[in-house]
Amino acid sequence: MTDTLLPAAPQPLEESDGYFRKGCNPLAQTGRSRLQNQRAALNQQILKAMRMRTGAENLLKAATNQKVREQVRLELSFLNSDLQMLKEELEGLNISVGVYQSTEKAFIIPLIPLGLKETKDVDFSVVLKDFILEHYSEDSYLYEDEIADLMDLRQACRTPSRSEAGVELLMSYFIQLGFVESRFFPPTRQMGILFTWYDSLTGVPVSQQNLLLEKASVLFNIGALYTQIGTRCNRQTEAGLESAVDAFQRAAGVLNYLKETFTHTPSYDMSPAMLSVLVKMMLAQAHECTFEKVCLPGIQNEFFMLVKVAQEAAKVGEVYQQLHTAMNQEPVKENIPYSWASLACVKAHHYEALAHYFAATLLVDHQLKPGTDEDHQEKCLSELYDHMPEGLTPLATLKNIHQRQQLGKAHLCRAITHHEESMREASLCKKLRNIEVLPEVLSAAHQRSQLKYTQLREDDDLLDLMDAPSIISKAEKEVEIILPQFSKVTVTDFFQKLGPLSVFSANKRWTPPRNIHFTAEGGDLGFTLRGNSPVQVHFLDPSSSAAEAGAREGDYIISIQNVDCKWLTLSEVMKLLKSFGENGIEMKVVSLLDSMSSMHSKCATFSVGMQKTYSMICLAIDDDDKTDKNKKVSKKRSFLSWSINKNRQKSVSTLCLPSVGVPGPPVKKKLPSPFSLLNSDSSLY
């Protein structure tokens, strides 16, 4: 299986090919792709069955005839049975871990990946065109290419390649959604675009007109793709294990970010409780890969090495036991695949058994000899347990061969018990029985512990056998969550032609563009400028030609002589005005309406170190410029006076949004990244 096996195309397709986007591989003939197609078909069948069940339930409520009610109940029972079978079939696809594993055959227990969420097609064109014409007063047909690029990007994100390029593709769409939300989705109304996503675990469809469903689902798929990358790594090499650990840590970070940022999600797989369990599962698998990395060079039969490996194995067993407990808690118990919970239980017993086996080996095979570091070995043995068995001390146990063997055999008995329990749990789950390598690994570990115990067993063992103490879990390298690094992905706003996002957004209302035709009398325009991208009219002389033509203080200049000025700086606009100064100047301006009412009083709160950010940029008013309102324009400012006061004007040439006709103060404000801009509707999601 490979992500680059394409019909009539032996090499991976790149963005430069002009057909597929980089990171998208829709024609890849892989098991993953087949699973996606099967999952999509099952989702459609589940949706149809749910609609039929809803209709039958409504008919049952409305019917009064007893025979009709009995017939409806019968049909409803069949529908519920079919729906349950479809969900079980979907669960079987979700836990088909074999297709996601590394292509290298290895004698290791498989890991659990997450399947990608499926979605329906979405047509942005009609709604976005209408909004561009209505809100921005621009010809919507000039943005057909940008809208097509957005829809192509979304389509490509439905089939990302299992690689870093695929992750980058999904991240770029997520960031682009931040731009789209700010441009076209005002918090005061619904836009009429319906987003439908299927639950990755249950197949239940969720539809909303809220763009936050789209953003949350893309985030989930980023985390799911990281899990598939982690399971695909070659765990027989150190580099492969390091990549797997990194992938699972990043998957945990994305899912945790999703849980903390998007609360009250309507989909089961993105509920806070479910995401908490999935984060635990990713971290547990990262711990497992860390343990495999420690054991990769081979475990030397040396005292301190065995102490380290025993504690590492105990750590893996502990995190899987915690995961298994979390999977059996309400409300996630009903939606977690049974095979996932079974595999977590199997691994918890398996690694706990390995910890006791290694503890037994260090006790049985290593006698304290003259010249060895007694203090170091005594300290290591005392730190291996939370308490020593009654009547034993670390140093005395190391020196007494009988005590060491008795304690070692006690550890072997506990190891054999855990091995047997892990094999029993695996045999109870049909899906786990179909994983060929799993029973082989469990059986081999069980036989090794039994062989070790057989070599030490004596006739009176049952009389002298003590209870082996629990081993303290310890990891040399702690596994931590790695938060998503969106800043490393460079994304260009598709709709940047509309103007700077800090000003030209869906949260602000504008007057229709006005054409101002005026002349510079003696090289004097009759007003000064301030701000950068876009530039504002400032200090307007009421007797000037521009004022008589309809210009007002606070107007934003969007074009001069049909040259777009929304992204030009103050100096560039000045230069452009000078070039047309001797002749008549045609200038197009807009004015902001309801600037204060469009600002939000609410903010979206982020946990886990995330900042509190407003849904838009709130601009304050400085006291220094309040006195400017009372200043009178004593004389017209010429082009020469602009150059003299250029530095002073630049110091205040920041974005300001005053009321129409009232000069406002300059405020320096940095625009946060688009994916951190959440509107107040997030509390409803």
Side-chain angles (χ1 to χ4, degrees):
M1 294 179 292
T2 173
D3 278 338
T4 60
L5 184 59
L6 299 172
Q11 298 298 326
L13 293 176
E14 300 293 339
E15 189 174 12
S16 58
D17 291 333
Y19 191 76
F20 294 120
R21 287 182 178 270
K22 183 178 181 181
C24 172
N25 202 359
L27 301 182
Q29 300 300 313
T30 65
R32 190 281 308 271
S33 297
R34 289 194 294 272
L35 280 180
Q36 283 184 328
N37 293 333
Q38 294 174 21
R39 189 182 292 112
L42 279 175
N43 285 329
Q44 294 293 336
Q45 295 179 39
I46 290 174
L47 177 60
K48 180 180 178 180
M50 290 182 64
R51 288 175 176 173
M52 294 178 65
R53 185 178 68 176
T54 301
E57 290 174 347
N58 293 335
L59 180 59
L60 184 63
K61 293 178 182 178
T64 57
N65 186 284
Q66 189 62 28
K67 288 186 176 181
V68 174
R69 292 177 63 86
E70 291 178 358
Q71 184 66 27
V72 172
R73 287 195 186 97
L74 180 61
E75 294 295 335
L76 193 58
S77 65
F78 285 128
L79 287 173
N80 286 328
S81 177
D82 291 342
L83 188 60
Q84 184 63 30
M85 292 178 62
L86 289 172
K87 289 184 176 181
E88 290 178 359
E89 189 175 353
L90 180 64
E91 177 188 343
L93 293 180
N94 288 330
I95 57 88
S96 297
V97 296
V99 71
Y100 295 102
Q101 306 302 313
S102 171
T103 54
E104 302 291 335
K105 292 185 178 180
F107 195 68
I108 50 180
I109 301 178
L111 300 171
I112 301 176
L114 296 178
L116 299 180
K117 292 174 68 69
E118 302 292 340
T119 183
K120 288 185 176 181
D121 292 333
V122 172
D123 187 0
F124 289 98
S125 57
V126 176
V127 173
L128 296 192
K129 283 182 179 180
D130 290 345
F131 193 81
I132 290 173
L133 181 61
E134 170 198 345
H135 186 79
Y136 295 101
S137 300
E138 294 198 25
D139 187 355
S140 58
Y141 290 98
L142 298 177
Y143 294 87
E144 287 184 340
D145 291 341
E146 288 77 3
I147 296 174
D149 288 340
L150 176 63
M151 295 176 63
D152 288 344
L153 178 59
R154 186 184 192 274
Q155 186 66 23
C157 288
R158 298 179 67 176
T159 54
S161 61
R162 197 187 302 113
S163 63
E164 287 296 331
V167 172
E168 186 174 342
L169 175 68
L170 292 176
M171 282 190 173
S172 64
Y173 179 56
F174 177 74
I175 299 173
Q176 193 67 238
L177 286 175
F179 292 124
V180 172
E181 182 179 28
S182 299
R183 297 280 191 192
F184 304 107
F185 286 80
T188 56
R189 65 168 178 166
Q190 299 287 350
M191 293 302 295
I193 300 179
L194 189 65
F195 300 98
T196 300
W197 287 84
Y198 293 92
D199 191 288
S200 64
L201 300 178
T202 65
V204 176
V206 174
S207 299
Q208 282 191 354
Q209 294 187 28
N210 198 331
L211 192 65
L212 294 178
L213 174 62
E214 182 89 349
K215 296 171 71 176
S217 300
V218 173
L219 269 180
F220 184 92
N221 278 358
I222 293 174
L225 198 59
Y226 269 127
T227 67
Q228 296 178 13
I229 293 174
T231 55
R232 188 68 177 270
C233 293
N234 185 0
R235 291 155 64 193
Q236 293 179 301
T237 64
E238 184 175 353
L241 287 169
E242 289 178 353
S243 299
V245 172
D246 181 74
F248 285 119
Q249 286 177 311
R250 293 184 184 278
V254 172
L255 296 175
N256 190 71
Y257 176 82
L258 173 59
K259 181 188 71 172
E260 299 293 341
T261 307
F262 297 87
T263 57
H264 304 96
T265 50
S267 184
Y268 293 121
D269 55 357
M270 295 191 295
S271 64
M274 180 64 73
L275 289 174
S276 297
V277 172
L278 295 181
V279 169
K280 289 180 182 293
M281 185 169 72
M282 297 308 114
L283 294 179
Q285 296 188 135
H287 274 292
E288 184 177 4
C289 293
T290 301
F291 172 76
E292 292 177 355
K293 182 182 175 183
V294 173
C295 302
L296 184 64
I299 303 174
Q300 299 178 359
N301 196 352
E302 188 267 334
F303 184 87
F304 300 110
M305 179 65 181
L306 291 173
V307 170
K308 175 184 176 181
V309 174
Q311 290 187 315
E312 291 277 359
K315 180 66 176 180
V316 180
E318 180 184 63
V319 294
Y320 270 114
Q321 183 59 50
Q322 294 172 353
L323 174 63
H324 180 255
T325 301
M327 285 180 169
N328 285 279
Q329 299 292 328
E330 297 292 346
V332 300
K333 182 178 180 181
E334 297 298 325
N335 297 318
I336 285 287
Y338 173 70
S339 55
W340 287 11
S342 298
L343 187 58
C345 184
V346 167
K347 290 188 176 184
H349 286 293
H350 175 70
Y351 285 103
E352 186 68 21
L354 292 183
H356 285 285
Y357 171 80
F358 292 127
T361 303
L362 70 90
L363 288 167
V364 173
D365 294 354
H366 296 279
Q367 183 178 359
L368 190 61
K369 298 179 181 178
T372 57
D373 190 348
E374 295 183 2
D375 293 338
H376 193 189
Q377 287 196 10
E378 180 186 9
K379 181 180 178 181
C380 285
L381 186 60
S382 62
E383 292 178 351
L384 185 64
Y385 307 123
D386 52 0
H387 67 278
M388 290 290 293
E390 185 178 355
L392 299 182
T393 61
L395 184 58
T397 302
L398 289 173
K399 291 182 177 180
N400 189 311
I401 185 172
H402 177 71
Q403 290 183 2
R404 287 190 294 104
Q405 288 188 350
Q406 288 299 108
L407 185 56
K409 286 188 287 186
H411 279 296
L412 287 174
C413 286
R414 284 197 64 175
I416 292 172
T417 301
H418 281 294
H419 281 310
E420 291 174 348
E421 187 64 22
S422 67
M423 291 189 296
R424 187 186 71 85
E425 285 288 341
S427 65
L428 292 177
C429 180
K430 178 181 178 181
K431 301 299 181 182
L432 296 186
R433 291 198 301 268
N434 294 335
I435 303 176
E436 296 180 359
V437 70
L438 181 59
E440 296 177 2
V441 173
L442 299 179
S443 177
H446 178 236
Q447 292 176 9
R448 182 177 57 184
S449 296
Q450 277 191 325
L451 178 62
K452 190 77 172 178
Y453 181 75
T454 302
Q455 295 172 352
L456 301 173
R457 185 173 57 187
E458 297 177 358
D459 295 337
D460 58 349
D461 277 347
L462 295 178
L463 299 177
D464 298 337
L465 193 62
M466 64 179 69
D467 292 331
S470 298
I471 299 172
I472 297 178
S473 61
K474 182 179 179 182
E476 183 179 16
K477 182 180 179 182
E478 195 64 30
V479 172
E480 297 178 350
I481 288 174
I482 300 179
L483 293 176
Q485 299 174 337
F486 298 106
S487 59
K488 292 187 175 181
V489 181
T490 303
V491 177
T492 302
D493 182 9
F494 284 154
F495 300 92
Q496 61 179 349
K497 288 193 305 183
L498 291 172
L501 187 59
S502 58
V503 178
F504 297 96
S505 67
N507 293 329
K508 298 179 176 63
R509 297 174 59 242
W510 303 92
T511 62
R514 307 193 310 276
N515 290 318
I516 308 297
H517 183 78
F518 66 99
T519 58
E521 301 173 0
D524 190 355
L525 295 176
F527 58 85
T528 59
L529 301 177
R530 71 172 176 184
N532 271 316
S533 303
V535 173
Q536 279 185 286
V537 175
H538 192 49
F539 290 142
L540 177 66
D541 185 352
S543 62
S544 65
S545 174
E548 293 176 355
R552 291 179 290 183
E553 291 186 359
D555 283 347
Y556 286 92
I557 301 176
I558 60 175
S559 69
I560 299 173
Q561 302 291 126
N562 294 324
V563 177
D564 194 330
C565 299
K566 289 186 289 244
W567 285 98
L568 298 185
T569 62
L570 185 142
S571 59
E572 291 171 336
V573 173
M574 288 171 56
K575 183 178 180 180
L576 189 61
L577 285 171
K578 289 179 182 180
S579 64
F580 299 109
E582 299 300 328
N583 304 318
I585 301 175
E586 189 75 26
M587 185 170 68
K588 186 177 290 186
V589 299
V590 294
S591 299
L592 182 67
L593 295 175
D594 302 330
S595 60
M596 298 306 295
S597 63
S598 64
M599 296 184 182
H600 279 274
S601 60
K602 297 182 179 180
C603 63
T605 303
F606 294 80
S607 303
V608 195
M610 299 300 294
Q611 298 178 348
K612 295 181 179 180
T613 60
Y614 285 94
S615 301
M616 59 173 289
I617 298 183
C618 299
L619 302 177
I621 299 179
D622 293 338
D623 294 336
D624 295 339
D625 283 335
K626 287 182 180 179
T627 57
D628 291 343
K629 298 178 182 179
N630 301 324
K631 288 184 179 180
K632 295 182 179 179
V633 182
S634 58
K635 63 178 182 178
K636 302 177 181 178
R637 295 178 180 266
S638 65
F639 284 110
L640 293 178
S641 66
W642 292 1
S643 61
I644 294 174
N645 297 324
K646 183 177 181 180
N647 292 332
R648 183 179 67 84
Q649 291 293 334
K650 275 193 173 181
S651 65
V652 297
S653 61
T654 52
L655 179 62
C656 182
L657 301 180
S659 300
V660 177
V662 181
V667 177
K668 293 185 178 180
K669 195 74 175 180
K670 184 178 180 182
L671 180 65
S673 55
F675 49 83
S676 66
L677 296 178
L678 297 177
N679 58 35
S680 58
D681 288 342
S682 62
S683 61
L684 304 176
Y685 182 73

